[in-house]
């Protein structure tokens, strides 16, 4: 059997580099190109030399684990929690990618030698490269979706609106992009369905304000409810206006002044409304 070490080196350099880069992206670690290239090169060299060693099975796994941790230490040199997160992500992604290749190799009937891995020259280069790139894109998209979802969940809270004898429980969104005011007071944004459920058909507006969105400016009515509660904290009366609140995750967009009350700082999550230009 003839094994071209340069092909094996290049292939493992690409795969190790992608896995290490994905580990840093998934854990939001600091990316250093030189450290990433150094770790990828070391990993590729290990992949070429390792098959030449004659080690028992337990020793082979131990060496691979220690070497993987070494690669993680190179790209995350500060150690501690950063190294732990990077290491967990790296090994998890390695197992996931290995499973993907196993399925792909099985589908394409690529020869497998027990204990030595898949033969490099038997696996089409296009299959390995395309599989690695597809895995990279899917993982990046999945990580972005996860962090966006977690960010949204951290910005949600429980709200209660009261008008007369009606009490309406809603899920609210802390949004630093909402700076709407009416007569100097903060204005929250709800859908028309919420206004109807709270005030009924006889809802009377207290005035109108100008709401600016990505689609332009428009006039919107302002309604006054008797009490607003956010996470159990009462704020007395509050103003509401009708806007585009179509999310299934929340039904009211709170004014950014409520963020200060929560003693936390959020970047805009849903910049649906901006500062109004009038006083109503």
């Amino acid at each position: 059997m003839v094994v071209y070490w340069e092909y094996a080196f290049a292939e493992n350099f690409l795969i190790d580099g992608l896995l290490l880069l994905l580990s840093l992206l998934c854990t939001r670690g600091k990316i250093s190109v030189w450290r990433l290239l150094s770790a990828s090169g070391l990993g590729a060299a290990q992949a070429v030399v390792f098959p030449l060693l004659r080690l028992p099975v337990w020793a082979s796994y131990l060496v691979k684990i220690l070497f993987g941790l070494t690669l993680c230490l190179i790209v995350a040199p500060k150690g501690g929690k950063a190294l732990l997160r990077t290491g967990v992500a790296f090994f998890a992604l390695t197992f996931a990618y290995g499973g993907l290749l196993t399925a792909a190799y099985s589908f394409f009937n690529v020869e497998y030698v027990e204990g030595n891995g898949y033969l490099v020259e038997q696996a089409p280069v296009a299959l390995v490269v395309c599989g690695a790139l597809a895995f990279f894109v899917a993982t990046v998209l999945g990580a972005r979706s996860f962090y966006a979802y977690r960010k949204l969940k951290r910005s949600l809270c429980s709200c209660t609106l009261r008008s007369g004898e009606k009490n309406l429980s809603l899920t609210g969104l802390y949004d630093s992009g909402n700076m709407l005011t009416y007569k100097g007071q903060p204005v929250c944004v709800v859908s028309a369905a919420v206004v109807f459920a709270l005030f009924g058909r006889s809802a009377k507006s207290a005035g109108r304000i100008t709401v600016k969105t990505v689609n332009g400016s428009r006039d919107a009515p302002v309604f006054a409810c008797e009490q607003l509660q956010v996470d159990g904290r009462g704020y007395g009366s509050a103003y509401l206006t009708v806007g585009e609140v179509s999310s299934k995750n929340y039904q009211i967009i709170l004014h950014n002044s409520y963020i200060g009350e929560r003693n936390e700082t959020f970047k805009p999550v849903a910049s649906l409304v901006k500062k109004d230009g009038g006083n109503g």
Side-chain angles (χ1 to χ4, degrees), residues 95-201:
F95 284 123
Y97 179 66
L100 176 64
L101 282 185
T102 300
Y105 286 165
S106 176
F107 180 80
F108 289 101
N109 296 319
V110 177
E111 184 180 354
Y112 177 72
V113 179
E114 185 177 356
N116 294 326
Y118 287 100
L119 303 180
V120 176
E121 68 273 19
Q122 294 294 329
V125 176
L127 175 62
V128 177
V129 173
C130 291
L133 293 178
F135 183 76
F136 179 84
V137 173
T139 304
V140 169
L141 294 178
R144 287 182 178 178
S145 299
F146 168 76
Y147 281 115
Y149 178 77
R150 189 179 70 168
K151 182 179 180 180
L152 174 63
K153 286 298 182 182
R154 288 181 174 180
S155 301
L156 299 180
C157 59
S158 60
C159 300
T160 301
L161 298 174
R162 183 169 66 85
S163 177
E165 297 181 354
K166 292 185 178 180
N167 288 287
L168 196 61
S169 296
L170 306 171
T171 299
L173 171 71
Y174 288 103
D175 183 13
S176 60
N178 179 10
M179 295 181 286
L180 289 170
T181 58
Y182 176 74
K183 294 183 178 180
Q185 298 299 314
V187 178
C188 300
V189 182
V190 296
S191 66
V194 171
V195 172
F196 178 77
L198 185 64
F199 300 103
R201 296 181 179 273

Side-chain angles (χ1 to χ4, degrees), residues 46-47 49-51 53-71 91:
Q46 181 267 343
V49 174
F50 188 79
L53 304 177
R54 296 184 178 275
L55 299 173
V57 176
W58 66 269
S60 298
Y61 282 110
L62 180 61
V63 170
K64 290 181 179 180
I65 292 174
L66 292 177
F67 210 87
L69 290 175
T70 301
L71 299 183
F91 285 109

